[in-house]
Amino acid sequence: MHTITFRHDINLLDIAWMGQFTRESAADYAREVLHRFAAERFKPGYLLRMDMTASPVQSQVGASVIHEQLRGFPRASAIAIVTPSAITRMQVRRLMTQPYLQVFDTAEPALEWLLAGDSARTSPGISSGVAGAI
């Protein structure tokens, strides 16, 4: 259903979704992310890549549970969402309004953007694999 990897070497929380969340699995996922973040001793300012390529658009219930349960999650310095789906992009745009978020079609440009650093990142928004404005 999902993988959660903490890359201490590059301060990256790397998450991949591989299915659709139910109310229960969304709550389990949120609890796991919160628990593992604390156990891994990650701090605000980390990089976040969420790869949703292998996941369909989430149901409103699943997305709402995740959104609500992770509302107070420690702030990342940059967020890269990976999805080629136009519908998933719209869902991301509706639920994730952070100004330091960028959406990519594939995972590699997302990681490159995250690792480029603050000064190299351009205006965040929804893109097709290139950092830039909506």
Side-chain angles (χ1 to χ4, degrees), residues 21-32:
F21 289 101
T22 63
R23 179 182 306 280
E24 295 77 20
S25 63
D28 290 344
Y29 163 77
R31 278 191 296 276
E32 181 181 354

Side-chain angles (χ1 to χ4, degrees), residues 24-130:
E24 295 77 20
S25 63
D28 290 344
Y29 163 77
R31 278 191 296 276
E32 181 181 354
V33 172
L34 288 165
H35 171 76
R36 297 227 10 237
F37 190 89
E40 293 281 345
R41 297 194 167 132
F42 257 48
K43 303 283 185 226
Y46 61 96
L47 304 172
L48 173 61
R49 178 173 63 173
M50 294 185 66
D51 189 339
M52 301 175 181
T53 304
S55 177
V57 67
Q58 294 300 318
S59 70
Q60 187 164 351
V61 169
S64 294
V65 169
I66 293 169
H67 184 70
E68 286 301 315
Q69 291 199 9
L70 295 179
R71 183 177 298 279
F73 198 75
R75 184 185 187 276
S77 62
I79 301 171
I81 303 294
V82 181
T83 181
S85 165
I87 296 171
T88 301
R89 286 171 181 261
M90 291 187 324
Q91 188 174 55
V92 167
R93 211 180 280 174
R94 183 174 55 81
L95 294 172
M96 300 180 75
T97 60
Q98 297 91 334
Y100 47 91
L101 179 142
Q102 183 75 33
V103 179
F104 296 85
D105 289 332
T106 59
E108 191 56 37
L111 184 59
E112 290 170 5
W113 179 77
L114 287 168
L115 296 177
D118 291 338
S119 62
R121 289 188 206 111
T122 59
S123 176
I126 306 293
S127 80
S128 295
V130 179

